[in-house]
Amino acid sequence: MSTATRSLPRTIGAHAILLTYTAIALFPVILVILNSFKSRAGIFGAPLTPPTPGTFDLIGYTTVIGQGDFIHYFQNSLVVTVASLFFVLLFGAMAAFALSEYRFRGNSMMGLYLALGIMIPIRLGTVAILQLMVASGLVNTLTALILVYTAQGLPLAVFILSEFMKQVSDDLKNAGRIDGLSEYTIFFRLVLPLVRPSMATVAVFTMIPIWNDLWFPLILAPSEETKTVTLGAQLFLGQFVTNWNAILAALSLAIMPVLILYVIFSRQLIRGITSGAVK
Amino acid sequence: MGSLKIENVKKAFGPVEVLKGIDLEVTDGEFVVFVGPSGCGKSTLLRVIAGLEDSTAGRVVIDGADVSATPPAKRGIAMVFQTYALYPHLTVKNNMGLGLKQAGTPAAEIDRRIGIASSMLSLEPYLERRPAELSGGQRQRVAIGRAVVREPKLFLFDEPLSNLDAALRVNTRLEIAQLHRRLKATMIYVTHDQVEAMTLADKIVVLNAGRIEQIGGPMELYNSPANEFVAGFIGSPKMNFIDGGRLGEIAKTIGVRPEHLTVDPKSGRWKGTVVHAEHLGADTNLYLDCEKAGLITVRIFGVYDAEPGATLYATPDPARTYRFGADGKTMK
Ligand SMILES: Nc1ncnc2c1ncn2[C@@H]1O[C@H](COP(=O)(O)OP(=O)(O)O)[C@@H](O)[C@H]1O
Ligand SMILES: [Mg+2]
């Protein structure tokens, strides 16, 4: 670090701004987690204080776990998220490789077409998607959700990954061709490992909206068998009485898996974001 | 065996014509250097020969067989790239062996060839390392080793020394020259550096804007350049070009190499003032601003004391003065 560009007041200023932002961003999350460990009276009496021996209560968690199916909802969410993520990354990377590597007629039109989905929300097509799922008998299956989420995640994945794939050395791919590697081997063994940081970036951006989505589970797979966590938590949100303990506990639990996935990807993620700037 | 014949090869990227009809013959065991300014199509031509790029027109014939429709791995070639292009996830040994493994060569044979290549290039201590753990010079030797183990009919080098520092460049150049003598293989070498071309080549192909300007041995190009472009490209410092009209000549341009001029403080053909002097020890480069000839470079062997501002007379060697016509061609 050169001292010329880093004066003390500036450093303090920057940190103050960042800390404020962090506090604002974390505030609701921390509030949810704190209150999930309190009794109903504790939640309403003093929502901002941490649990005290008087207000500490695990009733929310016991309700959620006791509900039995919640483990199952978790499983559903996890299956849907991981499977969609897998397909988005696989197909996104393959499409991006084709767009960045091969010259063919309509290459740039195809790239534009694949990126169009970034600007048009997939929910506009809900009615048509529902009709399609009914017609193909996929309503109330996890497959329906996985298909929709794969479609939803692909545009951004193709867009970001094709930019990164263009940066992979042509010489390396050509060396592979001269050594007789197939295009698939070149893609999986040479190119994919080199764009791993950007794959992690795409994974995080894809994963979070899928995990949090309420819309498609509600419409395409509302059955008991296929409910996801976000949909399952609605159970406690009654028209007249709301079980806040259970909702807060369910939300706190729902944060955990994404948090774990995020930690797995984040090291790569930071490298992905800075890779252009710091070589 | 490794002969190569290129017939009327053309290559266009969309509307841009990069190669405008290349004809060339390379005989077995020759060391041919493609030289030309950046962007003239050298790499494209090499990639067409390798099969990494389809030509728009024309044929590529290796050892008498038309390979225009043969994939790169089946052409019997090996290529060394400017950026080394080693597989980052493989050890040096596996980097060298991968091509043979893909071709189904028995493991014992692969080991034998890696052994020979690595001793030839002094790579034995590094066989189990990954490319990230090697220096630039070592990486480029691994890349050369990877080409050697394939025992190709044709070696293709695309500016292999450009990413190395000056001292390593000289060493590696020497190694490539020795490799050629030892293997007696056909090599095609691309560079934009005329010094590399002059020192390595049996035959130099000078390319400019997608066309071949001249083909010949190093001394042939130096002594009898076919046109103004070749005359200016071969030789360092560059040949002086003087407007023929100013000197009262019929030729459009007069060319004199800096080493074919002599200077004298008292008398000579062209009177001028010293603008700048470069003292290199073995020789001295003087930049003279002449009344008749304009700014010219003079190369004097050994040490020569000349202060900027001093007046000197330069005289060209009449036997080694070139005349170029309006079309740029050398006049006999
Ligand atoms: N894949 C490509 N698409 C479009 N133009 C290209 C492509 N590859 C090379 N070119 C163009 O062809 C010309 C020759 O390139 P190249 O053969 O790499 O030159 P060099 O002689 O420096 O090796 C350059 O003007 C370059 O812009
Ligand atoms: Mg080049």
Side-chain angles (χ1 to χ4, degrees):
Chain A
M1 292 294 145
S2 70
T3 44
T5 56
R6 307 234 150 202
S7 62
L8 188 62
R10 265 203 191 185
T11 313
I12 293 173
H15 278 80
I17 292 171
L18 291 174
L19 284 173
T20 315
Y21 177 75
T22 311
I24 293 172
L26 283 181
F27 180 69
V29 179
I30 294 186
L31 203 62
V32 165
I33 294 174
L34 286 185
N35 280 305
S36 72
F37 289 105
K38 290 178 0 187
S39 66
R40 191 174 174 80
I43 295 172
F44 284 99
L48 294 182
T49 51
T52 59
T55 57
F56 182 79
D57 198 340
L58 287 176
I59 177 76
Y61 288 94
T62 45
T63 316
V64 170
I65 307 287
Q67 209 73 28
D69 283 346
F70 235 80
I71 306 292
H72 189 62
Y73 300 161
F74 257 107
Q75 233 171 31
N76 286 341
S77 272
L78 215 57
V79 166
V80 168
T81 306
V82 170
S84 310
L85 202 57
F86 174 77
F87 287 124
V88 167
L89 289 181
L90 178 71
F91 296 137
M94 288 174 98
F97 183 68
L99 286 176
S100 61
E101 181 62 17
Y102 305 121
R103 281 189 301 272
F104 53 89
R105 193 180 289 276
N107 179 316
S108 52
M109 284 312 289
M110 180 71 99
L112 203 63
Y113 169 71
L114 287 177
L116 217 57
I118 299 173
M119 289 157 269
I120 303 172
I122 193 169
R123 288 176 193 197
L124 286 183
T126 304
V127 174
I129 290 175
L130 183 59
Q131 283 169 343
L132 194 73
M133 293 303 172
V134 172
S136 48
L138 287 174
V139 171
N140 278 330
T141 60
L142 294 181
T143 317
L145 292 179
I146 293 171
L147 287 176
V148 170
Y149 290 140
T150 305
Q152 171 188 313
L154 273 177
L156 193 65
V158 172
F159 184 72
I160 295 180
L161 290 177
S162 57
E163 278 314 304
F164 277 92
M165 296 226 178
K166 279 188 192 130
Q167 294 168 13
V168 174
S169 146
D170 280 334
D171 285 356
L172 185 65
K173 290 176 275 193
N174 285 338
R177 290 192 182 112
I178 286 179
D179 273 343
L181 302 182
S182 71
E183 293 297 312
Y184 283 98
T185 317
I186 290 174
F187 171 69
F188 283 111
R189 306 303 303 277
L190 296 183
V191 176
L192 274 196
L194 291 177
V195 297
R196 215 169 45 202
S198 55
M199 298 276 281
T201 314
V202 171
V204 169
F205 284 134
T206 309
M207 169 181 80
I208 291 169
I210 296 177
W211 181 268
N212 289 339
D213 192 37
L214 179 62
W215 182 264
F216 284 111
L218 194 60
I219 292 165
L220 297 179
S223 78
E224 193 54 32
E225 267 305 290
T226 53
K227 261 186 196 157
T228 59
V229 168
T230 25
L231 189 54
Q234 306 296 309
L235 186 75
F236 307 111
L237 205 66
Q239 193 175 357
F240 305 108
V241 198
T242 295
N243 188 345
W244 284 107
N245 297 87
I247 289 204
L248 294 178
L251 289 180
S252 305
L253 288 175
I255 295 172
M256 290 307 140
V258 251
L259 204 62
I260 293 168
L261 284 179
Y262 181 81
V263 168
I264 295 173
F265 290 132
S266 66
R267 270 176 56 95
Q268 306 277 340
L269 177 73
I270 291 162
R271 269 209 279 154
I273 290 170
T274 56
S275 66
V278 196
K279 195 76 197 219
Chain B
M1 288 305 287
S3 69
L4 168 74
K5 199 162 154 200
I6 299 172
E7 287 172 6
N8 193 30
V9 161
K10 290 184 183 164
K11 175 70 190 174
F13 292 109
V16 189
E17 236 192 350
V18 174
L19 299 177
K20 298 168 184 163
I22 303 282
D23 288 285
L24 178 69
E25 259 190 77
V26 177
T27 53
D28 188 35
E30 230 173 353
F31 198 122
V32 178
V33 174
F34 295 169
V35 68
S38 252
C40 71
K42 307 176 298 283
S43 297
T44 306
L45 180 55
L46 203 67
R47 285 205 299 271
V48 167
I49 295 171
L52 296 168
E53 200 84 73
D54 290 325
S55 60
T56 324
R59 298 199 319 148
V60 175
V61 179
I62 296 175
D63 265 355
D66 186 342
V67 295
S68 302
T70 313
K74 304 250 159 69
R75 288 192 178 194
I77 52 143
M79 192 153 170
V80 177
F81 297 90
Q82 177 178 351
T83 55
Y84 323 134
L86 299 177
Y87 308 119
H89 61 295
L90 295 181
T91 60
V92 167
K93 189 166 173 225
N94 291 336
N95 257 286
M96 294 207 267
L98 185 68
L100 294 177
K101 211 167 115 194
Q102 287 297 123
T105 314
E109 171 68 6
I110 298 180
D111 282 344
R112 190 185 67 84
R113 292 202 204 171
I114 290 177
I116 295 173
S118 53
S119 77
M120 212 184 277
L121 294 158
S122 348
L123 284 170
E124 282 126 332
Y126 314 113
L127 282 180
E128 294 306 324
R129 290 203 199 170
R130 277 174 211 281
E133 299 159 337
L134 299 176
S135 71
Q138 290 164 346
R139 283 181 210 181
Q140 195 55 292
R141 289 216 304 277
V142 175
I144 294 171
R146 181 170 66 180
V148 170
V149 294
R150 293 174 58 95
E151 297 182 357
K153 296 173 194 162
L154 212 56
F155 280 87
L156 306 175
F157 294 89
D158 192 355
E159 310 217 13
L161 307 183
S162 298
N163 280 9
L164 303 179
D165 61 48
L168 262 177
R169 206 175 294 172
V170 175
N171 279 343
T172 315
R173 194 170 80 199
L174 209 66
E175 258 177 272
I176 292 176
Q178 282 170 345
L179 198 69
H180 177 240
R181 257 194 303 277
R182 193 171 326 174
L183 298 177
K184 298 186 172 55
T186 317
M187 294 187 175
I188 297 180
Y189 185 106
V190 163
T191 177
H192 65 269
D193 179 358
Q194 58 95 22
V195 176
E196 274 173 39
M198 298 294 273
T199 49
L200 286 170
D202 296 325
K203 186 157 101 184
I204 298 180
V205 177
V206 183
L207 285 166
N208 183 28
R211 281 183 214 289
I212 293 182
E213 295 279 350
Q214 191 175 359
I215 302 177
M219 283 309 110
E220 193 181 341
L221 297 191
Y222 180 85
N223 289 324
S224 39
N227 53 43
E228 206 175 319
F229 178 83
V230 176
F233 198 82
I234 301 291
S236 169
K238 203 169 164 298
M239 182 184 278
N240 296 300
F241 292 111
I242 301 145
D243 187 37
R246 287 177 71 175
L247 299 175
E249 296 257 3
I250 316 148
K252 171 102 183 357
T253 312
I254 304 297
V256 192
R257 295 198 186 276
E259 53 270 37
H260 299 150
L261 283 159
T262 48
V263 288
D264 188 280
K266 305 220 173 52
S267 66
R269 282 276 296 285
W270 301 329
K271 182 178 179 213
T273 17
V274 177
V275 178
H276 181 64
E278 292 173 346
H279 301 283
L280 302 171
D283 43 32
T284 307
N285 294 331
L286 297 178
Y287 297 89
L288 295 185
D289 194 5
C290 297
E291 284 164 4
K292 264 174 152 177
L295 187 70
I296 59 170
T297 316
V298 181
R299 182 176 178 197
I300 299 157
F301 296 97
V303 180
Y304 188 91
D305 278 325
E307 291 300 317
T311 302
L312 281 179
Y313 293 84
T315 310
D317 176 352
R320 310 186 97 169
T321 301
Y322 300 90
R323 288 174 180 77
F324 304 102
D327 56 359
K329 294 223 167 70
T330 309
M331 293 161 67
K332 294 290 168 216

